[in-house]
Amino acid sequence: MNAEARFADQGYATVPLFDPELVGAAQADVAEHIDRVSRALYLPFEQSCPDAPLSQRIDRVFAHERSVANLLRVAVCTDAHRGPRLQALVNDRKLIETAERLGCRALSGKIARVRASIACFPEHRHAWHSDVARDDGTGCGKVAVTAWIPLSDAGPGNGGLEIAAGRQPAPLASQGDDGFEIPEWRLTGLPRVRPECPAGTALFLDRFTPHRTLPAKATRFALVVWLKAV
């Protein structure tokens, strides 16, 4: 099954899209942003574990300064996407061309953010959800296709996504105390898949496709681009 057929039938597709070395290099934007925020704190910069590998740094900070680790997590997920290497991926023409081909519709606006699966913050892994939970044509309701681009190899054992496959005609979410989480019973009968996504691969999701974040032994960062319909 090619990518177009898989997306039309299953609501997702993986596409080798970028040079893996360029995607891996984009992690430097995340590391530099952590440095930038850490230098602005009263806490001595050395206690932000600048010599640790990026995949371990926030976990090591967590061991002695949980609140600072959480601050760094939030900072990365709020503003790191503005880094030049990440912006080059966001604005690469291949991204929107592929999304338009898979979704069979013209796309214009987009929103990008960095997302992470961090071992020390399991409560911040995303539970079952779809990127459009309320199909009202406003705000998030305009999202047509999502591109999830891990900055390192991701899959079942290292912070990939689990997908409840099958193209959906409408959202399956239920509003509750935790937002628009999809209850397990709504996914009964849907096959679960955990795609391998080597660096350079983009995982494209339809707006109503249920998915969730899998645990990671080491921190996994991903660039997420929500592409909106014209």
Side-chain angles (χ1 to χ4, degrees):
M1 185 181 295
N2 63 25
E4 290 83 355
R6 185 178 299 279
F7 192 88
D9 182 64
Q10 299 296 308
Y12 79 97
T14 55
V15 180
L17 201 63
F18 300 111
D19 181 336
E21 290 188 6
L22 291 178
V23 173
Q27 294 185 94
D29 285 348
V30 177
E32 290 169 9
H33 194 57
I34 292 175
D35 283 350
R36 186 180 302 110
V37 174
S38 297
R39 291 185 188 280
L41 303 176
Y42 285 117
L43 186 78
F45 178 70
E46 292 71 23
Q47 293 186 35
S48 71
C49 304
D51 296 328
L54 180 61
S55 61
Q56 301 174 20
R57 186 171 179 180
I58 292 178
D59 290 290
R60 291 193 185 181
V61 174
F62 180 91
H64 60 85
E65 290 285 352
R66 177 170 181 163
S67 60
V68 172
N70 190 53
L71 174 66
L72 297 177
R73 178 192 66 81
V74 173
V76 167
C77 293
T78 300
D79 202 43
H81 65 280
R82 302 180 195 276
R85 303 168 189 86
L86 291 169
Q87 281 296 299
L89 299 176
V90 171
N91 295 314
D92 192 306
R93 184 62 195 170
K94 296 191 296 291
L95 183 66
I96 193 166
E97 288 175 348
T98 304
E100 287 180 332
R101 187 176 76 250
L102 295 175
C104 299
R105 63 194 301 183
L107 302 169
S108 58
K110 56 182 177 289
I111 298 171
R113 295 289 186 273
V114 171
R115 293 292 179 256
S117 179
I118 305 174
C120 62
F121 288 113
E123 68 273 21
H124 290 293
R125 291 200 301 267
H126 290 291
W128 286 110
H129 69 287
S130 59
D131 290 321
V132 172
R134 178 185 290 157
D135 188 18
D136 57 6
T138 64
C140 292
K142 292 182 180 179
V143 171
V145 178
T146 298
W148 185 82
I149 306 162
L151 303 184
S152 57
D153 295 348
N158 52 347
L161 297 186
E162 183 173 25
I163 297 166
R167 191 83 176 264
Q168 301 298 323
L172 299 179
S174 298
Q175 187 171 11
D177 293 340
D178 296 322
F180 286 92
E181 184 176 332
I182 300 175
E184 188 69 33
W185 66 267
R186 298 295 304 273
L187 304 174
T188 301
L190 294 178
R192 312 295 175 85
V193 294
R194 297 180 172 190
E196 292 285 355
C197 292
T201 298
L203 170 59
F204 290 90
L205 297 165
D206 178 67
R207 62 204 303 249
F208 300 141
T209 298
H211 56 284
R212 66 176 174 179
T213 309
L214 294 171
K217 295 178 181 177
T219 298
R220 182 273 303 145
F221 295 100
L223 176 66
V224 184
V225 185
W226 295 274
L227 297 145
K228 296 186 176 183
V230 173

